[in-house]
Amino acid sequence: MTQKLTKVIERIFEFFCGFSIAALVVVVSAQVISRALKISLPWAEELARFFMIWLTFIGCSLAVCRKGHLSVDFFVNMAKPKLRFFIGSLTHIIIIAFFGLLVIYGIRLSVITIDTPSSTLQWSMGLVYSVLPISAAASIYFTLIDFVEFIKQRGSMI
C-alpha cells in the first residue's frame, strides 16, 4: 500500500515538474520573441515566476522521495554504530519538524492570501502559495517512510 501511494505521488510530482519545465520554456521563449518584436507580454514574467515556485517546491519533494538531496556523511560514518543511529534518527526528526513548520505556515500563508490577486494575472496568491503545504506534507510522508526503513535497518548497524 505504501509503495503504491509513494509511486502515485512520485508520478504526479514528476508530471508537475515536467509540465512546469516545459511551460517555463514556452513562456520565457514567448517573452524573448515578443521583446524582439517590440511587443509587450506583461503576464509572462509573473507566470514564469509561478511555474518556478511550483517547480522548486515540488522538485524538492521529489528529491526527498528519491534521496537526492546533498548530504555530507563523512564524519557520521566514522562514528560508532550507536552514535550513527542516534544522529540518523535526530536528522530524520529535524527534517520532519522543519517540513511540519512549512505545512503549518504554508497553510496560514495560503489562507491569508486566498483573496489576494496577483498583480498581472489576477490569480489567487493563496493558490500559488498552496504548493508550500502540499510539497511539505509530501516530504514529511517520504521522510517518515525513510525513517521507518532506517529504524528497521538498525539491527544490521549495531
Side-chain angles (χ1 to χ4, degrees), residues 30-73:
Q31 188 174 22
V32 168
I33 292 168
S34 71
R35 283 187 181 176
L37 299 173
K38 308 253 192 268
I39 300 170
S40 177
L41 297 177
W43 52 267
E45 182 180 342
E46 187 171 80
L47 186 58
R49 187 178 325 120
F50 293 164
F51 280 126
M52 184 60 88
I53 290 168
W54 275 77
L55 177 63
T56 299
F57 284 95
I58 296 296
C60 171
S61 292
L62 202 52
V64 170
C65 175
R66 296 177 177 173
K67 298 176 189 80
H69 282 288
L70 181 66
S71 65
V72 180
D73 57 1

Short mmCIF file of all heavy atoms in Angstrom, two decimals, residues 30-73:
data_model
loop_
_atom_site.label_atom_id
_atom_site.label_comp_id
_atom_site.label_asym_id
_atom_site.label_seq_id
_atom_site.Cartn_x
_atom_site.Cartn_y
_atom_site.Cartn_z
N ALA A 30 8.42 32.79 -25.43
CA ALA A 30 7.44 33.75 -25.94
C ALA A 30 7.79 35.18 -25.52
O ALA A 30 7.66 36.12 -26.30
CB ALA A 30 6.04 33.39 -25.45
N GLN A 31 8.27 35.31 -24.29
CA GLN A 31 8.66 36.63 -23.81
C GLN A 31 9.87 37.17 -24.58
O GLN A 31 9.91 38.34 -24.96
CB GLN A 31 8.96 36.58 -22.31
CG GLN A 31 9.17 37.96 -21.70
CD GLN A 31 9.33 37.89 -20.19
OE1 GLN A 31 9.69 36.86 -19.65
NE2 GLN A 31 9.08 39.01 -19.54
N VAL A 32 10.85 36.33 -24.83
CA VAL A 32 12.04 36.75 -25.58
C VAL A 32 11.66 37.15 -27.01
O VAL A 32 12.08 38.19 -27.52
CB VAL A 32 13.11 35.64 -25.58
CG1 VAL A 32 14.22 35.93 -26.57
CG2 VAL A 32 13.67 35.45 -24.17
N ILE A 33 10.85 36.31 -27.65
CA ILE A 33 10.43 36.60 -29.03
C ILE A 33 9.61 37.88 -29.08
O ILE A 33 9.80 38.72 -29.96
CB ILE A 33 9.66 35.40 -29.62
CG1 ILE A 33 10.61 34.22 -29.81
CG2 ILE A 33 8.97 35.77 -30.94
CD1 ILE A 33 9.92 32.91 -30.11
N SER A 34 8.70 38.04 -28.13
CA SER A 34 7.86 39.24 -28.12
C SER A 34 8.68 40.50 -27.90
O SER A 34 8.40 41.55 -28.48
CB SER A 34 6.76 39.13 -27.07
OG SER A 34 7.29 39.23 -25.77
N ARG A 35 9.69 40.42 -27.07
CA ARG A 35 10.56 41.60 -26.87
C ARG A 35 11.33 41.93 -28.15
O ARG A 35 11.54 43.10 -28.47
CB ARG A 35 11.53 41.35 -25.72
CG ARG A 35 10.89 41.48 -24.38
CD ARG A 35 11.89 41.40 -23.27
NE ARG A 35 11.22 41.51 -21.98
CZ ARG A 35 11.83 41.39 -20.84
NH1 ARG A 35 13.13 41.16 -20.80
NH2 ARG A 35 11.16 41.50 -19.71
N ALA A 36 11.76 40.89 -28.86
CA ALA A 36 12.47 41.13 -30.13
C ALA A 36 11.55 41.80 -31.15
O ALA A 36 12.00 42.58 -31.98
CB ALA A 36 13.02 39.82 -30.68
N LEU A 37 10.26 41.49 -31.07
CA LEU A 37 9.27 42.09 -31.98
C LEU A 37 8.66 43.37 -31.42
O LEU A 37 7.72 43.90 -31.99
CB LEU A 37 8.15 41.07 -32.27
CG LEU A 37 8.58 39.78 -32.95
CD1 LEU A 37 7.42 38.80 -33.02
CD2 LEU A 37 9.14 40.06 -34.33
N LYS A 38 9.21 43.82 -30.30
CA LYS A 38 8.74 45.06 -29.63
C LYS A 38 7.27 44.95 -29.20
O LYS A 38 6.51 45.91 -29.27
CB LYS A 38 8.94 46.27 -30.55
CG LYS A 38 10.34 46.43 -31.10
CD LYS A 38 11.05 47.56 -30.41
CE LYS A 38 12.32 47.90 -31.15
NZ LYS A 38 13.47 47.26 -30.70
N ILE A 39 6.88 43.75 -28.76
CA ILE A 39 5.54 43.50 -28.25
C ILE A 39 5.68 43.19 -26.75
O ILE A 39 6.58 42.46 -26.35
CB ILE A 39 4.87 42.31 -28.96
CG1 ILE A 39 4.75 42.58 -30.46
CG2 ILE A 39 3.51 42.01 -28.36
CD1 ILE A 39 4.32 41.36 -31.25
N SER A 40 4.79 43.74 -25.97
CA SER A 40 4.85 43.54 -24.52
C SER A 40 3.93 42.40 -24.09
O SER A 40 2.76 42.35 -24.48
CB SER A 40 4.44 44.82 -23.80
OG SER A 40 4.42 44.61 -22.42
N LEU A 41 4.47 41.48 -23.31
CA LEU A 41 3.68 40.42 -22.69
C LEU A 41 3.82 40.58 -21.17
O LEU A 41 4.66 39.92 -20.54
CB LEU A 41 4.16 39.04 -23.11
CG LEU A 41 4.06 38.66 -24.58
CD1 LEU A 41 4.65 37.29 -24.83
CD2 LEU A 41 2.62 38.71 -25.05
N PRO A 42 3.02 41.43 -20.56
CA PRO A 42 3.20 41.72 -19.13
C PRO A 42 2.96 40.53 -18.22
O PRO A 42 3.50 40.46 -17.12
CB PRO A 42 2.19 42.83 -18.86
CG PRO A 42 1.24 42.82 -19.98
CD PRO A 42 1.93 42.19 -21.15
N TRP A 43 2.20 39.56 -18.66
CA TRP A 43 1.87 38.40 -17.84
C TRP A 43 2.96 37.34 -17.83
O TRP A 43 3.00 36.47 -16.96
CB TRP A 43 0.56 37.77 -18.34
CG TRP A 43 0.59 37.50 -19.82
CD1 TRP A 43 0.14 38.32 -20.80
CD2 TRP A 43 1.14 36.35 -20.48
NE1 TRP A 43 0.36 37.76 -22.05
CE2 TRP A 43 0.97 36.55 -21.87
CE3 TRP A 43 1.74 35.18 -20.04
CZ2 TRP A 43 1.40 35.62 -22.81
CZ3 TRP A 43 2.16 34.25 -20.98
CH2 TRP A 43 1.98 34.47 -22.35
N ALA A 44 3.86 37.40 -18.79
CA ALA A 44 4.84 36.31 -18.97
C ALA A 44 5.80 36.17 -17.79
O ALA A 44 6.07 35.06 -17.34
CB ALA A 44 5.62 36.52 -20.26
N GLU A 45 6.28 37.30 -17.28
CA GLU A 45 7.22 37.23 -16.17
C GLU A 45 6.57 36.66 -14.92
O GLU A 45 7.15 35.81 -14.23
CB GLU A 45 7.78 38.62 -15.87
CG GLU A 45 8.81 38.61 -14.77
CD GLU A 45 9.35 40.00 -14.48
OE1 GLU A 45 9.22 40.90 -15.32
OE2 GLU A 45 9.93 40.15 -13.39
N GLU A 46 5.35 37.08 -14.65
CA GLU A 46 4.64 36.58 -13.47
C GLU A 46 4.33 35.09 -13.60
O GLU A 46 4.52 34.32 -12.66
CB GLU A 46 3.36 37.38 -13.28
CG GLU A 46 2.64 37.07 -11.99
CD GLU A 46 1.50 38.03 -11.75
OE1 GLU A 46 0.43 37.84 -12.36
OE2 GLU A 46 1.70 38.97 -10.97
N LEU A 47 3.88 34.67 -14.75
CA LEU A 47 3.58 33.26 -14.97
C LEU A 47 4.84 32.41 -14.85
O LEU A 47 4.82 31.33 -14.24
CB LEU A 47 2.92 33.07 -16.35
CG LEU A 47 2.42 31.67 -16.66
CD1 LEU A 47 1.40 31.20 -15.63
CD2 LEU A 47 1.81 31.63 -18.06
N ALA A 48 5.93 32.88 -15.42
CA ALA A 48 7.20 32.16 -15.30
C ALA A 48 7.62 32.05 -13.83
O ALA A 48 8.11 30.99 -13.40
CB ALA A 48 8.29 32.87 -16.11
N ARG A 49 7.41 33.10 -13.06
CA ARG A 49 7.74 33.08 -11.63
C ARG A 49 6.90 32.03 -10.90
O ARG A 49 7.41 31.28 -10.07
CB ARG A 49 7.52 34.45 -11.01
CG ARG A 49 7.98 34.56 -9.59
CD ARG A 49 7.81 35.95 -8.98
NE ARG A 49 8.02 37.02 -9.92
CZ ARG A 49 7.09 37.93 -10.23
NH1 ARG A 49 5.90 37.89 -9.68
NH2 ARG A 49 7.36 38.90 -11.09
N PHE A 50 5.61 31.96 -11.21
CA PHE A 50 4.74 30.97 -10.57
C PHE A 50 5.16 29.54 -10.92
O PHE A 50 5.19 28.66 -10.05
CB PHE A 50 3.27 31.20 -10.96
CG PHE A 50 2.68 32.48 -10.45
CD1 PHE A 50 1.51 32.97 -10.98
CD2 PHE A 50 3.29 33.21 -9.43
CE1 PHE A 50 0.95 34.15 -10.52
CE2 PHE A 50 2.74 34.40 -8.96
CZ PHE A 50 1.56 34.87 -9.50
N PHE A 51 5.49 29.32 -12.17
CA PHE A 51 5.97 27.99 -12.56
C PHE A 51 7.27 27.64 -11.84
O PHE A 51 7.48 26.50 -11.43
CB PHE A 51 6.17 27.88 -14.08
CG PHE A 51 4.90 27.65 -14.84
CD1 PHE A 51 4.55 28.49 -15.89
CD2 PHE A 51 4.05 26.60 -14.53
CE1 PHE A 51 3.38 28.28 -16.61
CE2 PHE A 51 2.88 26.38 -15.24
CZ PHE A 51 2.54 27.23 -16.28
N MET A 52 8.13 28.62 -11.68
CA MET A 52 9.41 28.39 -11.00
C MET A 52 9.19 28.07 -9.52
O MET A 52 9.86 27.18 -8.96
CB MET A 52 10.32 29.61 -11.14
CG MET A 52 11.70 29.39 -10.54
SD MET A 52 12.58 28.03 -11.32
CE MET A 52 13.35 28.87 -12.64
N ILE A 53 8.25 28.74 -8.89
CA ILE A 53 7.93 28.47 -7.48
C ILE A 53 7.45 27.03 -7.32
O ILE A 53 7.94 26.28 -6.47
CB ILE A 53 6.87 29.46 -6.96
CG1 ILE A 53 7.47 30.87 -6.84
CG2 ILE A 53 6.30 29.00 -5.61
CD1 ILE A 53 6.43 31.96 -6.61
N TRP A 54 6.50 26.65 -8.16
CA TRP A 54 5.96 25.29 -8.07
C TRP A 54 7.03 24.25 -8.41
O TRP A 54 7.13 23.22 -7.75
CB TRP A 54 4.73 25.15 -8.99
CG TRP A 54 3.49 25.60 -8.29
CD1 TRP A 54 3.09 26.89 -8.07
CD2 TRP A 54 2.51 24.77 -7.67
NE1 TRP A 54 1.92 26.91 -7.36
CE2 TRP A 54 1.53 25.61 -7.12
CE3 TRP A 54 2.35 23.40 -7.57
CZ2 TRP A 54 0.43 25.13 -6.45
CZ3 TRP A 54 1.24 22.91 -6.89
CH2 TRP A 54 0.29 23.77 -6.34
N LEU A 55 7.82 24.51 -9.43
CA LEU A 55 8.89 23.59 -9.81
C LEU A 55 9.88 23.39 -8.66
O LEU A 55 10.30 22.27 -8.37
CB LEU A 55 9.61 24.09 -11.06
CG LEU A 55 10.80 23.28 -11.54
CD1 LEU A 55 10.37 21.88 -11.94
CD2 LEU A 55 11.48 23.98 -12.71
N THR A 56 10.24 24.47 -7.99
CA THR A 56 11.21 24.40 -6.90
C THR A 56 10.70 23.53 -5.75
O THR A 56 11.40 22.62 -5.28
CB THR A 56 11.53 25.81 -6.39
OG1 THR A 56 12.09 26.58 -7.45
CG2 THR A 56 12.49 25.78 -5.21
N PHE A 57 9.48 23.79 -5.30
CA PHE A 57 8.97 23.06 -4.14
C PHE A 57 8.58 21.62 -4.46
O PHE A 57 8.86 20.72 -3.67
CB PHE A 57 7.82 23.83 -3.50
CG PHE A 57 8.30 25.01 -2.70
CD1 PHE A 57 8.34 26.27 -3.26
CD2 PHE A 57 8.74 24.85 -1.40
CE1 PHE A 57 8.81 27.35 -2.54
CE2 PHE A 57 9.21 25.93 -0.67
CZ PHE A 57 9.25 27.19 -1.24
N ILE A 58 7.95 21.40 -5.59
CA ILE A 58 7.59 20.03 -5.97
C ILE A 58 8.87 19.25 -6.27
O ILE A 58 8.99 18.07 -5.90
CB ILE A 58 6.62 20.02 -7.17
CG1 ILE A 58 5.29 20.69 -6.80
CG2 ILE A 58 6.40 18.60 -7.68
CD1 ILE A 58 4.51 19.99 -5.72
N GLY A 59 9.84 19.89 -6.91
CA GLY A 59 11.13 19.24 -7.17
C GLY A 59 11.86 18.88 -5.89
O GLY A 59 12.50 17.83 -5.80
N CYS A 60 11.74 19.73 -4.88
CA CYS A 60 12.34 19.44 -3.57
C CYS A 60 11.73 18.17 -2.99
O CYS A 60 12.45 17.30 -2.50
CB CYS A 60 12.13 20.62 -2.62
SG CYS A 60 12.60 20.28 -0.92
N SER A 61 10.41 18.05 -3.03
CA SER A 61 9.75 16.86 -2.51
C SER A 61 10.14 15.61 -3.30
O SER A 61 10.32 14.53 -2.73
CB SER A 61 8.23 17.03 -2.55
OG SER A 61 7.84 18.02 -1.64
N LEU A 62 10.27 15.77 -4.59
CA LEU A 62 10.69 14.65 -5.43
C LEU A 62 12.11 14.21 -5.06
O LEU A 62 12.41 13.02 -5.01
CB LEU A 62 10.60 15.06 -6.90
CG LEU A 62 10.49 13.98 -7.95
CD1 LEU A 62 9.36 13.01 -7.66
CD2 LEU A 62 10.29 14.61 -9.32
N ALA A 63 12.96 15.18 -4.77
CA ALA A 63 14.33 14.85 -4.35
C ALA A 63 14.33 14.14 -2.99
O ALA A 63 15.13 13.23 -2.76
CB ALA A 63 15.19 16.11 -4.29
N VAL A 64 13.43 14.56 -2.09
CA VAL A 64 13.31 13.87 -0.79
C VAL A 64 12.88 12.42 -1.02
O VAL A 64 13.43 11.49 -0.42
CB VAL A 64 12.31 14.60 0.14
CG1 VAL A 64 12.00 13.75 1.37
CG2 VAL A 64 12.85 15.95 0.56
N CYS A 65 11.93 12.22 -1.92
CA CYS A 65 11.45 10.87 -2.24
C CYS A 65 12.58 9.99 -2.76
O CYS A 65 12.70 8.82 -2.38
CB CYS A 65 10.33 10.96 -3.27
SG CYS A 65 9.72 9.38 -3.88
N ARG A 66 13.41 10.56 -3.60
CA ARG A 66 14.49 9.79 -4.24
C ARG A 66 15.81 9.86 -3.50
O ARG A 66 16.83 9.38 -4.00
CB ARG A 66 14.68 10.30 -5.67
CG ARG A 66 13.45 10.06 -6.52
CD ARG A 66 13.61 10.62 -7.88
NE ARG A 66 12.44 10.31 -8.69
CZ ARG A 66 12.23 10.78 -9.90
NH1 ARG A 66 13.12 11.59 -10.45
NH2 ARG A 66 11.15 10.46 -10.55
N LYS A 67 15.79 10.48 -2.33
CA LYS A 67 17.00 10.68 -1.52
C LYS A 67 18.09 11.36 -2.36
O LYS A 67 19.26 10.98 -2.33
CB LYS A 67 17.49 9.36 -0.95
CG LYS A 67 16.50 8.69 -0.03
CD LYS A 67 17.02 7.34 0.42
CE LYS A 67 15.97 6.57 1.15
NZ LYS A 67 14.99 5.91 0.30
N GLY A 68 17.67 12.39 -3.08
CA GLY A 68 18.57 13.08 -4.00
C GLY A 68 19.18 14.36 -3.46
O GLY A 68 19.93 15.02 -4.17
N HIS A 69 18.85 14.70 -2.22
CA HIS A 69 19.44 15.92 -1.65
C HIS A 69 20.88 15.65 -1.23
O HIS A 69 21.24 14.54 -0.82
CB HIS A 69 18.63 16.41 -0.45
CG HIS A 69 17.39 17.14 -0.83
ND1 HIS A 69 17.40 18.39 -1.37
CD2 HIS A 69 16.09 16.77 -0.77
CE1 HIS A 69 16.16 18.78 -1.61
NE2 HIS A 69 15.34 17.80 -1.26
N LEU A 70 21.68 16.67 -1.30
CA LEU A 70 23.08 16.58 -0.93
C LEU A 70 23.23 16.31 0.56
O LEU A 70 22.53 16.90 1.38
CB LEU A 70 23.79 17.90 -1.29
CG LEU A 70 25.27 18.01 -1.01
CD1 LEU A 70 26.02 17.03 -1.90
CD2 LEU A 70 25.76 19.40 -1.25
N SER A 71 24.10 15.40 0.90
CA SER A 71 24.41 15.16 2.31
C SER A 71 25.89 14.85 2.45
O SER A 71 26.51 14.28 1.55
CB SER A 71 23.58 14.00 2.86
OG SER A 71 23.94 12.80 2.23
N VAL A 72 26.42 15.27 3.58
CA VAL A 72 27.83 15.01 3.88
C VAL A 72 27.85 14.10 5.09
O VAL A 72 27.51 14.52 6.19
CB VAL A 72 28.59 16.33 4.16
CG1 VAL A 72 30.05 16.04 4.47
CG2 VAL A 72 28.46 17.28 2.98
N ASP A 73 28.24 12.86 4.89
CA ASP A 73 28.20 11.90 5.98
C ASP A 73 29.58 11.33 6.33
O ASP A 73 29.69 10.29 6.96
CB ASP A 73 27.22 10.77 5.67
CG ASP A 73 27.56 10.06 4.37
OD1 ASP A 73 28.56 10.41 3.72
OD2 ASP A 73 26.81 9.13 4.02
#
